[in-house]
Amino acid sequence: MADTATKPSVPTAAIDAGKRDFLTLTATAFAAVGVGAIVWPFIASMNPARDVLALASTEVDLTPITAGMAVTVLWRGKPVFVRHRTAEEITAARAVPMSELKDPATDQSRVRRDPWLVVVGVCTHLGCVPLGQRPTDVRGDYNGWFCPCHGSHYDGAARIRRGPAPLNLPVPDYTFMSPTQIRIG
Amino acid sequence: MAIGLHDSQVKNPVLRWVDQRLPVITMIQKEYGTFPTPRNFNYFWNFGALAMINLMIMIATGIFLAMHYQPNTAMAFESVERIMRDVNYGWLIRYVHMNGASMFFIVVYIHIFRGLYYGSYKAPRELLWMLGVVIFLLMMATAFMGYVLPWGQMSLWGAVVITNLFSAFPVVGDFIVTLLWGGFSVDNPTLNRFFALHYLLPFMIVGVVFLHVAALHITGSNNPLGVEPKGPQDTIPFHPYYTIKDTVGIVVYLMVFAALVFFAPNYLGHPDNYIPANPLSTPAHIVPEWYFLPYYAILRAVPDKLGGVILMFSSILVWFALPWLDTSKVRSMNFRPVARMFFFLWCVSFVVLMYCGGKPAEEPYVTVSRIATAYYFAYFLVVLPLLGRFEKPMPLPESISRAVLGIKAMGAGPLPGGAATAKPMEKA
Amino acid sequence: MKRFLKIAALAGIVLLAAGPSGQAAGEARHPRDAGFGFASLFGTFDRASAQRGFQVYKEVCSACHSMRLLSYRNLLELGLSEAEVRAIAATFTVTDGPNDEGEMFERPARLSDRFRRPHANDAAARLANNGALPPDLSVITKARHDGANYLYSLLTGYGQEPPQGVTIGDGLNYNPYFPGGQIAMGQVLNDDQIEYSDGTNASAEQMARDVTTFLAWAAEPETEARRRMGIRVLIFLAIAGLLAYGVKRKIWAELKTKTA
């Protein structure tokens, strides 16, 4: 057999032609699956870890919040506005016709139990925290919240009325554990 | 082809457009596609590719660990345990990184063994070999600093002992140690900078690996016969022959790796490193990680502090001079039966040192370490220089193809026996 | 293939040479093999035993030993229901705050809270324990050689006569499994000391076994997932290896035939 060693030939083309056989395909498929399986844990590791998820709910005691007052609590690293609305504020919020709203939603649909309004205090424009929680704050043209970053005005039900923000302040998932306590998340 | 554009042979018009301006496809094709490679590699030639894969695994897992790790003495230990418990697949990534260090050293030790046995360090591959030694030194520094990061007892006391090595140097010793520490003991500043450097060094390794490969592609690979290819009949294109052969090796390597990670993740570690670092109490018996044990044994074999440190560093630095210490013109020990014997004895001395390094510094281990240390150096400084003059090597085969295809292969790896010849290769 | 086996053998030798190099300090007696199910290669934790072990930890060990890396929510993985774990957590008070008045306050623990520590800090722990610091037990089986067997042996190793010529220090106890033989912790597990809620006979040996199971789980809660994944990965790699070897044989055979 050694005597053929001097005769050059071109195996590459032949190999390319015979390459796509079953064995090679299966092996390639296996390699692809393997690479996919290797990538997944890395991506998953960037998702919230278990200790972060365990802190995903916050409980709020409502007793110290008197009518007209609001508190800000931290939930998942974001501020949540809890406002004890007065009867006038509620009436005003419910009197607004749907046609005036940029993101139409009735006041009732944004409230679980009167007189409490609970919303995530992150402007839907670019994520600033709107003013209006403290008694001294500017509350905007609609007596709700006002975002100082780009001038979005929210009304007494935290609905967007004017400015660049496209949506109302979102209502987080929360439940009343008792008439004076809620759990957010 | 317009003037100034690379003469690309790529068919696909888009790729061709890119390749004309930035000939990466041509380069890959040349260096990893048609690259003429000796046809007689055995499986020892897998370990370069394995080291490359291992480096990639370490960098990938390391980057994702760094997203969760806290380089602060108050939080480091807990943050590592948090990775193990709370981060999604955190235990997997951490155990892969931790055992990956051991796998890296196993792979690189075999790679070095291959180089020593087959004389891959000899002309014209001296620089290739020396770059490899640089990579190994960088690896050792990286591994050492990485071991400090979990801030367990072994982390702290390993850092204390190793940084104190530098205090052995006269005059500048204390200055260097304080500089390394950034304080008056191994403490938060030390941990902080070790983290920064542990993140940096792997990328320097990548740089030197690039040079290592570049140098390799100038001289071409050595082979089990140590006879340079004399023409196209002695070589085959890298792809597909060695890409697929490397793939087989990679899968076997991954199996060993997986067995460690999934079934014995702490086997190669030391339990004391799961005790949070305590600067007030030294563990009764401190040992470095297994891959440092031979050097640790050399350090302890010398009764003098400075002498021990110098000898320990020399044990690796002597590798730089190896291309000139070995005076024999014959590369492969397959044809140097006498040298082969001495070489295997050197391997034994290395393993003995590794064993003694893990034992307490008492008899008989100290004496055994001394004998092994003496032989370790004698092999490089006495045996190899003299042997080149006095030994009678066996006759070398005329060429790779003659040896492989003609006579029964001598020491060559598993080859497709029978007649063959490579495709004629354009001059690369 | 012969070379290949040699490489594998070499790797094996290196691994074996390296592994058992670390030695336990002192002249401690080698731990007895307690025959734990989770210690085998594919073993799992006995949930009932681990739950009982938590009870032992809660009612006995936690008086002195912290487990600061564990949270109450982790107990869900032991098979306890959420209501049970909430109830367990609520029996502990933790410090929270500051509240709106700037004061720290006490409240019942929640799922997300870490296990309450028996002492505010290490100094307080030493003061309460005759100068000895009871180690944190979060990763204790990982932090000792042959951890589970060591713990079990230690906990059941009290009450033996010290060898001739050994005087036991003040406030110390003889235990042959402890490095140095003298341990500050006294014999804490006694028959029927606690009442298991599942009716198991609470012998000292049973309690040692249960609490060791619990602590082994606490140290490496990922063990079962790790082994399950390991089996799948190895099977996958074995098949991939055969395929790769097949392709390799084929390609190299082409080299032979195509050029002949």
Side-chain angles (χ1 to χ4, degrees):
Chain A
M1 284 156 79
D3 55 347
T4 56
T6 48
K7 197 170 163 188
S9 65
V10 190
T12 317
I15 287 159
D16 281 343
K19 213 174 195 172
R20 280 159 199 84
D21 62 308
F22 179 71
L23 184 65
T24 314
L25 275 178
T26 318
T28 314
F30 251 73
V33 170
V35 169
I38 287 168
V39 169
W40 172 243
F42 287 105
I43 295 169
S45 77
M46 294 176 74
N47 269 323
R50 261 175 290 180
D51 58 332
V52 176
L53 293 175
L55 291 173
S57 65
T58 302
E59 287 167 22
V60 187
D61 182 13
L62 302 175
T63 20
I65 312 171
T66 54
M69 237 183 89
V71 297
T72 308
V73 295
L74 197 64
W75 172 67
R76 296 184 180 172
K78 290 178 289 194
V80 170
F81 297 160
V82 182
R83 178 175 286 278
H84 186 161
R85 298 193 297 181
T86 60
E88 302 86 72
E89 281 175 326
I90 297 174
T91 324
R94 291 192 180 159
V96 179
M98 285 299 110
S99 56
E100 281 186 24
L101 296 175
K102 202 169 168 185
D103 177 18
T106 62
D107 183 67
Q108 286 87 340
S109 71
R110 298 175 50 78
V111 169
R112 297 270 151 83
R113 192 182 291 188
D114 280 327
W116 303 101
L117 177 71
V118 181
V119 291
V120 177
V122 176
C123 182
T124 55
H125 179 218
L126 290 173
C128 296
V129 178
L131 299 171
Q133 286 293 91
R134 276 172 299 177
T136 53
D137 277 357
V138 187
R139 293 184 62 180
D141 295 351
Y142 299 88
N143 198 31
W145 286 269
F146 170 69
C147 183
C149 291
H150 305 93
S152 292
H153 298 259
Y154 296 89
D155 69 9
R159 293 173 296 200
I160 181 64
R161 300 297 289 272
R162 191 146 58 77
L167 298 170
N168 304 331
L169 292 186
V171 177
D173 186 24
Y174 69 98
T175 48
F176 277 86
M177 300 169 75
S178 76
T180 59
Q181 194 168 42
I182 57 170
R183 184 161 89 216
I184 308 168
Chain B
M1 187 194 75
I3 288 164
L5 288 183
H6 170 70
D7 181 17
S8 176
Q9 303 300 312
V10 179
K11 298 279 186 299
N12 180 306
V14 178
L15 294 179
R16 184 181 165 83
W17 185 91
V18 173
D19 198 49
Q20 285 173 333
R21 284 153 183 82
L22 184 70
V24 280
I25 298 167
T26 302
M27 199 193 89
I28 291 171
Q29 179 63 20
K30 189 183 133 194
E31 304 297 341
Y32 285 102
T34 55
F35 190 72
T37 317
R39 58 186 312 143
N40 58 336
F41 282 179
N42 57 34
Y43 274 99
F44 274 115
W45 264 260
N46 275 356
F47 284 84
L50 292 182
M52 187 96 92
I53 296 277
N54 206 319
L55 179 62
M56 281 155 55
I57 291 174
M58 294 306 276
I59 289 178
T61 50
I63 286 172
F64 281 84
L65 288 176
M67 294 182 192
H68 302 282
Y69 171 74
Q70 309 275 354
N72 179 299
T73 51
M75 294 182 280
F77 187 88
E78 275 201 27
S79 76
V80 172
E81 275 299 320
R82 179 182 167 268
I83 290 170
M84 301 283 294
R85 288 155 192 273
D86 288 335
V87 173
N88 303 311
Y89 296 103
W91 59 265
L92 176 63
I93 298 175
R94 196 249 168 164
Y95 275 153
V96 167
H97 196 72
M98 186 174 132
N99 287 289
S102 286
M103 289 302 293
F104 207 172
F105 276 93
I106 293 173
V107 165
V108 165
Y109 275 138
I110 296 173
H111 190 61
I112 294 172
F113 168 88
R114 198 279 318 272
L116 289 172
Y117 183 85
Y118 293 107
S120 301
Y121 47 83
K122 292 185 190 182
R125 298 185 181 82
E126 304 96 323
L127 211 50
L128 171 62
W129 166 260
M130 291 163 82
L131 285 166
V133 180
V134 171
I135 294 172
F136 184 63
L137 287 171
L138 286 172
M139 259 179 77
M140 292 174 84
T142 311
F144 158 65
M145 287 190 274
Y147 192 58
V148 175
L149 301 185
W151 207 240
Q153 275 288 65
M154 281 296 167
S155 299
L156 170 65
W157 293 102
V160 169
V161 169
I162 300 298
T163 50
N164 265 315
L165 289 180
F166 294 92
S167 72
F169 294 110
V171 190
V172 291
D174 285 338
F175 171 77
I176 293 176
V177 173
T178 310
L179 189 75
L180 287 174
W181 288 345
F184 306 104
S185 61
V186 175
D187 207 340
N188 199 51
T190 325
L191 178 63
N192 229 181
R193 67 188 55 185
F194 276 18
F195 177 58
L197 294 172
H198 182 71
Y199 206 119
L200 168 72
L201 286 186
F203 296 98
M204 294 179 63
I205 295 180
V206 169
V208 186
V209 165
F210 185 83
L211 298 179
H212 190 65
V213 173
L216 171 73
H217 281 220
I218 296 298
T219 61
S221 298
N222 186 23
N223 64 77
L225 294 172
V227 176
E228 296 290 340
K230 294 202 167 59
Q233 72 280 1
D234 288 343
T235 62
I236 46 177
F238 189 81
H239 180 74
Y241 298 108
Y242 287 118
T243 42
I244 186 62
K245 194 162 175 175
D246 280 344
T247 305
V248 174
I250 286 167
V251 176
V252 174
Y253 149 86
L254 287 177
M255 287 182 82
V256 177
F257 201 159
L260 260 182
V261 165
F262 291 107
F263 294 103
N266 292 311
Y267 177 69
L268 293 171
H270 196 289
D272 276 19
N273 221 28
Y274 283 108
I275 302 172
N278 178 0
L280 298 179
S281 131
T282 310
H285 180 59
I286 61 169
V287 282
E289 290 285 81
W290 67 268
Y291 37 80
F292 290 142
L293 290 175
Y295 319 106
Y296 193 58
I298 292 175
L299 172 78
R300 294 194 309 187
V302 184
D304 176 65
K305 184 173 172 181
L306 180 60
V309 173
I310 289 176
L311 214 61
M312 186 185 76
F313 284 124
S314 314
S315 68
I316 304 217
L317 296 181
V318 71
W319 295 357
F320 279 113
L322 180 58
W324 296 276
L325 290 172
D326 186 349
T327 48
S328 171
K329 291 275 173 284
V330 178
R331 290 202 186 89
S332 175
M333 298 244 182
N334 281 351
F335 303 103
R336 302 178 64 194
V338 183
R340 185 164 58 198
M341 231 173 52
F342 281 108
F343 174 68
F344 282 135
L345 204 57
W346 179 84
C347 295
V348 169
S349 81
F350 190 80
V351 172
V352 165
L353 283 170
M354 188 180 279
Y355 179 79
C356 289
K359 293 289 166 195
E362 57 192 39
E363 292 302 339
Y365 304 115
V366 177
T367 311
V368 174
S369 300
R370 286 185 184 152
I371 296 167
T373 304
Y375 183 73
Y376 179 103
F377 283 98
Y379 173 74
F380 291 117
L381 300 175
V382 181
V383 175
L384 285 182
L386 293 182
L387 216 52
R389 291 166 204 203
F390 298 118
E391 95 184 320
K392 260 224 153 49
M394 288 153 67
L396 288 178
E398 202 176 303
S399 75
I400 295 173
S401 49
R402 281 302 278 277
V404 169
L405 310 169
I407 335 146
K408 242 199 173 291
M410 254 194 324
L415 267 165
T421 172
K423 86 177 192 122
M425 213 89 55
E426 285 83 23
K427 269 268 188 296
Chain C
M1 228 32 213
K2 227 170 72 192
R3 292 272 166 180
F4 208 69
L5 292 174
K6 273 192 203 164
I7 297 168
L10 193 74
I13 289 165
V14 171
L15 286 179
L16 285 174
S21 56
Q23 294 289 303
E27 322 74 35
R29 195 183 291 173
H30 205 272
R32 287 185 287 148
D33 184 1
F36 286 112
F38 57 80
S40 67
L41 212 50
F42 305 110
T44 52
F45 294 109
D46 177 347
R47 293 301 144 123
S49 176
Q51 288 181 17
R52 288 195 299 270
F54 171 67
Q55 195 187 342
V56 176
Y57 169 73
K58 186 164 72 103
E59 294 180 19
V60 184
C61 320
S62 70
C64 303
H65 291 278
S66 58
M67 285 187 86
R68 69 187 75 158
L69 297 176
L70 271 85
S71 305
Y72 293 107
R73 65 186 159 84
N74 294 135
L75 295 172
L76 294 170
E77 297 154 39
L78 268 191
L80 295 169
S81 73
E82 183 162 335
E84 285 173 305
V85 179
R86 275 185 194 283
I88 290 169
T91 61
F92 296 94
T93 53
V94 293
T95 308
D96 199 353
N99 61 12
D100 295 340
E101 283 87 47
E103 307 282 339
M104 302 303 280
F105 59 92
E106 303 265 304
R107 61 164 174 78
R110 302 185 192 125
L111 291 185
S112 56
D113 286 313
R114 296 285 182 92
F115 277 17
R116 194 193 52 182
R117 296 169 65 170
H119 305 286
N121 49 54
D122 285 356
R126 278 186 197 282
L127 184 70
N129 289 285
N130 208 10
L133 178 65
D136 184 90
L137 297 182
S138 311
V139 290
I140 197 75
T141 59
K142 274 198 293 194
R144 299 288 183 276
H145 268 290
D146 197 8
N149 285 330
Y150 165 76
L151 269 191
Y152 173 82
S153 305
L154 187 82
L155 288 172
T156 55
Y158 285 92
Q160 302 182 32
E161 276 304 308
Q164 288 282 309
V166 173
T167 39
I168 300 300
D170 215 22
L172 295 177
N173 305 278
Y174 176 69
N175 192 320
Y177 298 100
F178 190 71
Q182 306 191 36
I183 183 170
M185 180 172 84
Q187 179 167 7
V188 286
L189 297 179
N190 300 294
D191 286 343
D192 301 318
Q193 181 177 0
I194 67 172
E195 198 172 317
Y196 275 137
S197 47
D198 67 356
T200 305
N201 178 27
S203 65
E205 193 275 340
Q206 183 66 42
M207 285 190 283
R209 182 170 289 276
D210 290 343
V211 81
T212 304
T213 304
F214 168 69
L215 291 173
W217 165 79
E220 296 177 276
E222 88 292 346
T223 306
E224 292 171 0
R226 171 160 55 77
R227 289 171 178 165
R228 265 200 311 275
M229 191 188 288
I231 295 167
R232 275 184 260 151
V233 168
L234 283 178
I235 291 173
F236 177 88
L237 286 174
I239 298 171
L242 288 177
L243 285 170
Y245 191 65
V247 175
K248 190 252 165 192
R249 286 277 298 257
K250 192 175 77 67
I251 288 176
W252 282 73
E254 277 166 9
L255 175 69
K256 180 168 104 184
T257 52
K258 291 288 181 337
T259 55

